Amino acid sequence: MTSATALPARLSALLPDLSPWRSSADFRLLWVQGLVTYFGSFMALIALPLQIKELTGSPLAVGAMGAVELVPLVVFGLYGGALADSADRRKVILGTEAGLGMLALVLLVNAALPDPMLWPLYLVAGGVSALAGLQRPALDSLIARIVPHDQLTAAAALNSLRWQFGAITGPAVAGLVVAYAGHATAYAVTVVTFTVSVLLCLRLAPAPAAEHARKPSLRGIAEGARYAWSRPVLLGTYAIDLAAMFFAFPNTIFPFLADELDAEWSLGLMYAAGSVGSLVLGLTSGWTSRVRRHGLFVVFGAAVWGLAIAAAGWFSNVWLVLVCLTVAGAGDMLSGLGRSTIWNQTIPEELRGRLAGIEVLSYSVGPQLGQVRAGAMAGWTGTRAAIWTGGVACVASVALLAAALPKLLTYDSRTDADAVRHRQSSPSGV
């Protein structure tokens, strides 16, 4: 190969691996459905805390969203995991998606009132959390069934790209829509996107449970928890993600950070910056399909996330803050790729739904608690101090957990017993 052709070949090797898109029609449907849903969800995700801020002017009131969402997420996330192992996952996804659309309609009606009320915002936040807890295990556990084993990292990268597109366009457009057209218009867009999503979900193939699957029960949930506890690699992915999000998820106080930096115009960019970093990594993620040490992704990515969040809280220049948030997003995606690949490569099919329920807790409860922590700390120490101290605590906790769970660092998909067993038991590599 000449030098003239070597460079294009190296660059093409960085491009995302599209093999899951080519090999699975259901993966293509879920990818498009998720892109539509994420756009609408992020519209509401930005409009909702902004509306609470306008109604109350309190960072604690905004952070309280996390407390309202926490209990439904824990309860329904665990139950949703058991449900995903005992019901048709397509039906679970379809029903919860329709429910989320109805809740968006409630937000729209409330915003259209002459004097919008505060309590429906918290009520909807709790309802969204409950439905998301029911849905995520079914969505996540479906991927390993419809994508070949050797394409799971590529599927995780493509799903991350989809999420980032929504996370970038949703907040950016939401900021403009709320500023110039009001909250009601933002919620109306959300209702439309969920309607489209439901129509796409109707085209998914059925995904019934195993023939001898048991009904959802506390015993079944406990069985999944015991399996996770017995696997240090899985335990490490959950613990590191939970710690990173608890200490270093300051998104809920971004409106106050923008005010403090005298850059109100930057709020949409703050929400989108992390997704830009993740998008850049995703667009150059072809190399990740060739990596087998995914535990290193988890640890290194979480450490980068914490360091970048700490720097974002320390700097007073808004452009440096945006750069730091962009770097944080790249670190978060790298860690997420590692977690998703390890989960899909090692968890048995009969436990995948229940373990996905635990996964929901690890990557969703952390941000909810992180919102409460950030809001409370901001009211006590100030916005910037709440951000940088959280980033430092994140790095310290990641280091301690990596030292306590060394098997996560040494995980190799070629030699790990659970990964090998899963690969061998999957007919035709699926």
Side-chain angles (χ1 to χ4, degrees):
M1 182 181 292
T2 67
S3 58
T5 59
L7 182 58
R10 293 193 188 102
L11 291 176
S12 64
L14 293 175
L15 296 177
D17 183 354
L18 299 179
S19 50
W21 179 277
R22 301 189 192 100
S23 63
S24 173
D26 275 349
F27 180 81
R28 292 194 296 272
L29 268 176
L30 280 178
W31 198 94
V32 175
Q33 173 268 333
L35 181 63
V36 173
T37 297
Y38 285 148
F39 177 81
S41 297
F42 276 104
M43 289 283 288
L45 182 66
I46 302 307
L48 189 55
L50 280 175
Q51 191 173 17
I52 294 176
K53 175 179 178 285
E54 288 182 9
L55 291 175
T56 67
S58 166
L60 185 59
V62 178
M65 280 180 58
V68 171
E69 294 166 341
L70 179 58
V71 173
L73 187 62
V74 171
V75 173
F76 288 93
L78 290 173
Y79 179 78
L83 184 65
D85 281 336
S86 62
D88 188 319
R89 292 168 186 170
R90 172 184 175 272
K91 292 181 179 178
V92 175
I93 295 168
L94 183 59
T96 51
E97 199 74 359
L100 289 167
M102 293 301 295
L103 290 178
L105 186 60
V106 172
L107 290 176
L108 171 58
V109 171
N110 182 62
L113 296 175
D115 295 305
M117 296 176 287
L118 180 62
W119 66 265
L121 304 183
Y122 289 114
L123 182 66
V124 169
V128 168
S129 184
L131 289 174
L134 284 175
Q135 183 186 78
R136 291 299 306 185
L139 273 172
D140 292 347
S141 59
L142 188 59
I143 296 301
R145 179 182 288 192
I146 63 176
V147 173
H149 182 90
D150 61 352
Q151 297 176 11
L152 289 173
T153 302
L158 289 175
N159 281 340
S160 239
L161 273 177
R162 173 193 65 184
W163 190 90
Q164 303 312 331
F165 280 126
I168 291 170
T169 57
V173 174
L176 295 174
V177 169
V178 171
Y180 294 103
H183 296 92
T185 303
Y187 297 140
V189 173
T190 303
V191 171
V192 171
T193 59
F194 275 109
T195 302
V196 173
S197 175
V198 167
L199 295 176
L200 289 171
C201 287
L202 287 170
R203 299 179 58 191
L204 289 171
E211 183 178 354
H212 301 294
R214 293 176 292 179
K215 293 182 179 180
S217 66
L218 291 176
R219 179 178 295 181
I221 293 172
E223 181 184 358
R226 284 195 298 270
Y227 180 87
W229 187 262
S230 69
R231 297 301 194 273
V233 173
L234 286 178
L235 194 60
T237 65
Y238 301 144
I240 285 180
D241 187 43
L242 185 63
M245 294 297 103
F246 173 72
F247 288 115
F249 191 78
N251 292 31
T252 192
I253 56 174
F254 280 170
F256 301 93
L257 179 62
D259 288 347
E260 189 167 321
L261 297 177
D262 195 25
E264 292 82 359
W265 54 268
S266 69
L267 179 59
L269 295 177
M270 286 183 184
Y271 280 114
S275 298
V276 171
S278 296
L279 180 62
V280 171
L281 184 64
L283 291 173
T284 57
S285 63
W287 61 276
T288 62
S289 295
R290 299 185 290 277
V291 173
R292 301 293 177 261
R293 300 284 299 279
H294 303 104
L296 292 175
F297 279 9
V298 176
V299 175
F300 180 74
V304 169
W305 162 267
L307 284 171
I309 292 296
W314 185 261
F315 289 125
S316 58
N317 181 288
V318 66
W319 293 108
L320 289 177
V321 169
L322 291 172
V323 169
C324 291
L325 294 176
T326 303
V327 173
D332 185 45
M333 180 172 176
L334 186 64
S335 186
L337 283 180
R339 292 193 307 271
S340 180
T341 302
I342 289 172
W343 293 338
N344 283 323
Q345 284 183 343
T346 64
I347 297 173
E349 171 64 25
E350 64 274 13
L351 289 172
R352 185 161 284 128
R354 280 163 284 178
L355 271 292
I358 297 174
E359 292 160 19
V360 167
L361 300 188
S362 76
Y363 63 68
S364 297
V365 170
Q368 305 310 323
L369 290 175
Q371 289 185 90
V372 178
R373 185 211 68 83
M377 284 289 293
W380 179 37
T381 66
T383 302
R384 289 172 58 197
I387 295 173
W388 74 258
T389 55
V392 171
C394 168
V395 175
S397 62
V398 168
L400 289 173
L401 288 168
L405 298 165
K407 287 190 176 181
L408 178 62
L409 287 173
T410 59
Y411 173 85
D412 190 319
S413 62
R414 295 165 297 189
T415 57
D416 180 82
D418 289 324
V420 171
R421 189 181 305 113
H422 180 271
R423 184 168 59 248
Q424 291 175 343
S425 64
S426 300
S428 302
V430 176

